[in-house]
Amino acid sequence: MKNIVGSPGTVSGLILRVGQCLCAAAAISTMASAPKFSRYTAFCYLIASMGLQVLWSLGLMCLDIYSLRTKRDLQNPVIVSLFVVGDWVTATLSLAAACSSAGVVILYAKDLDFCRFLPHHSCSAFQISICFAFVAWFLMAMSSHVMFWLLASTY
Amino acid sequence: MKNIVGSPGTVSGLILRVGQCLCAAAAISTMASAPKFSRYTAFCYLIASMGLQVLWSLGLMCLDIYSLRTKRDLQNPVIVSLFVVGDWVTATLSLAAACSSAGVVILYAKDLDFCRFLPHHSCSAFQISICFAFVAWFLMAMSSHVMFWLLASTY
């Protein structure tokens, strides 16, 4: 297998996982700080999806640290296949959560103009959380592409 | 390059493109038939995104038919790179459109219970259109994975 930026067991891979974890955690904390977020299914789904991303990235982060410390090679086809499936599922769920929440916020902020007339809706917290979720998705999409490339280039 | 199910210039690839085209067209026509859909940014974005998917899939469908008739090989790295970028952009935009519209419909149908009390909202047409959009995204995701695999396996 090749050594691409962001591949498992490298420093760049570890940095990518740390970034994913931090952005997903920031999205969760910003959304949870907004009052009445739990009334909206899309926002609850965002928290669930970002929670899954935190767990997944944290797991792979620990594996990267272990690999860097012990100089073990993580790039065998079976392990990379598992990473590919996990990364793709997490990335797709993250994009779906970010987009469905963005759809609701755009409806409130632009189509219905609720944010201006009802300031208790805490639109800005929702918007910041969704921005973090999109960054988290982007970082996850990057690592899932790297994993898929690594796997495909072995066949 | 390898001959995978759904690769360009094959019958399975042509069937995949026809399916993408039909599902995207069905999503557009169902959404456009619902009254007052244009009030919602998410639904307008769904129509725009599905329109892009129809154009892209139609173009590649014509290319597949040309390749099957003239027995020309479409699988060189430059052409496949173009297909990969186009397929990935279209698939991501389709998923984003389907999810943002689904977020709005779930807000109306479940969180606010508008669909029961305000039947003029034509929720069922929105829901059917979003189902078609998800199927169109799934077919596009399939062909984008095949293209990426084809490209990666050459390096």
Side-chain angles (χ1 to χ4, degrees), chain B residues 1 7-8 56 73-88 144 146-152 154:
Chain B
M1 289 207 177
S7 50
W56 175 254
D73 187 20
L74 287 179
Q75 299 187 26
N76 79 62
V78 180
I79 295 181
V80 175
S81 303
L82 277 174
F83 290 169
V84 165
V85 174
D87 270 359
W88 276 108
S144 57
V146 169
M147 294 292 178
F148 197 65
W149 189 274
L150 273 175
L151 184 67
T154 57

Side-chain angles (χ1 to χ4, degrees), chain A residues 58-98:
Chain A
L58 208 65
L60 293 200
M61 209 172 83
C62 295
L63 218 59
D64 277 343
I65 292 169
Y66 166 79
S67 164
L68 282 168
R69 284 195 149 207
T70 59
K71 309 273 180 203
R72 280 256 184 117
D73 187 19
L74 288 179
Q75 298 188 25
N76 79 62
V78 179
I79 295 180
V80 176
S81 303
L82 277 175
F83 290 171
V84 165
V85 173
D87 270 1
W88 276 108
V89 170
T90 321
T92 308
L93 292 178
S94 296
L95 180 62

Side-chain angles (χ1 to χ4, degrees), chain B residues 36-125:
Chain B
K36 297 178 188 165
F37 80 90
S38 58
R39 284 187 188 175
Y40 305 96
T41 309
F43 298 155
C44 295
Y45 173 49
L46 184 90
I47 287 196
S49 169
M50 288 294 125
L52 177 74
Q53 180 161 337
V54 166
L55 290 176
W56 175 254
S57 300
L58 208 65
L60 293 200
M61 209 173 81
C62 296
L63 217 60
D64 277 343
I65 293 170
Y66 166 78
S67 164
L68 282 170
R69 285 198 147 206
T70 59
K71 311 271 178 205
R72 280 256 183 116
D73 187 20
L74 287 179
Q75 299 187 26
N76 79 62
V78 180
I79 295 181
V80 175
S81 303
L82 277 174
F83 290 169
V84 165
V85 174
D87 270 359
W88 276 108
V89 170
T90 320
T92 308
L93 291 179
S94 296
L95 180 62
C99 290
S100 55
S101 302
V104 172
V105 165
I106 287 170
L107 178 80
Y108 273 8
K110 190 173 164 282
D111 301 341
L112 304 178
D113 227 355
F114 270 8
C115 291
R116 207 155 35 127
F117 298 114
L118 302 167
H120 68 271
H121 261 90
S122 55
C123 288
S124 56

Side-chain angles (χ1 to χ4, degrees), chain A residues 2 39-42 88 92 95-96 99-100 102-104 106-108 110-112 137 145 148-149 151-153 155, chain B residues 2 39-42 88 92 95-96 99-100 102-104 106-108 110-112 137 145 148-149 151-153 155:
Chain A
K2 294 170 184 182
R39 285 187 187 177
Y40 305 97
T41 309
W88 276 108
T92 308
L95 180 62
C99 289
S100 55
V104 173
I106 288 170
L107 178 80
Y108 273 8
K110 191 174 164 282
D111 301 342
L112 305 177
W137 161 72
H145 273 87
F148 197 66
W149 189 275
L151 184 68
S153 58
Y155 287 96
Chain B
K2 295 173 186 180
R39 284 187 188 175
Y40 305 96
T41 309
W88 276 108
T92 308
L95 180 62
C99 290
S100 55
V104 172
I106 287 170
L107 178 80
Y108 273 8
K110 190 173 164 282
D111 301 341
L112 304 178
W137 161 73
H145 273 86
F148 197 65
W149 189 274
L151 184 67
S153 58
Y155 288 95

